[in-house]
Amino acid sequence: MPRHLLWALAAALAACASTKPPPPDAPAPPAPDAPECVVIQASDEGGGLASERGWLDDHYPGWKELRQTLGTGSGDKWYDIVEFVVPSGKEYSVCFDITSFFGKR
């Protein structure tokens, strides 16, 4: 994985832990009922990505992806951070723990 992506993820995670208010153009935080990071259990990438999309379909009907970021965390964890917009125009971001299936075909 390129170092610049790791640094970008580290900066994003550090920003999430900050007590400063987000900039005005930042995506809205996850919905109040959404967990901090959704753990996806799957045996391969195809099944894992389908589970991510299914979770988003269930919790945010009509969502459209804006961007997706892949990164690592402590303890050899892998994450997808999906930023998206819902039909009302509100933007959200959800973190998925993809450790169980990342790199498995």
Side-chain angles (χ1 to χ4, degrees), residues 15-23:
C16 290
S18 172
T19 58
K20 290 191 244 174

Side-chain angles (χ1 to χ4, degrees), residues 49-88:
L49 292 174
S51 293
E52 281 184 24
R53 285 3 188 202
W55 189 94
L56 288 167
D57 289 342
D58 290 346
H59 291 83
Y60 299 92
W63 68 279
K64 300 286 183 212
E65 185 175 319
L66 297 174
R67 69 191 66 70
Q68 181 176 359
T69 306
L70 173 67
T72 63
S74 62
D76 295 325
K77 294 282 190 177
W78 288 92
Y79 301 97
D80 267 343
I81 299 171
V82 180
E83 295 177 47
F84 56 95
V85 63
V86 295
S88 69

Side-chain angles (χ1 to χ4, degrees), residues 2-47:
R3 284 193 181 276
H4 70 278
L5 289 177
L6 293 175
W7 284 109
L9 179 63
L13 291 174
C16 290
S18 172
T19 58
K20 290 191 244 174
D25 60 343
D33 66 336
E36 211 170 287
C37 195
V38 179
V39 178
I40 301 292
Q41 295 294 329
S43 58
D44 60 39
E45 288 185 348

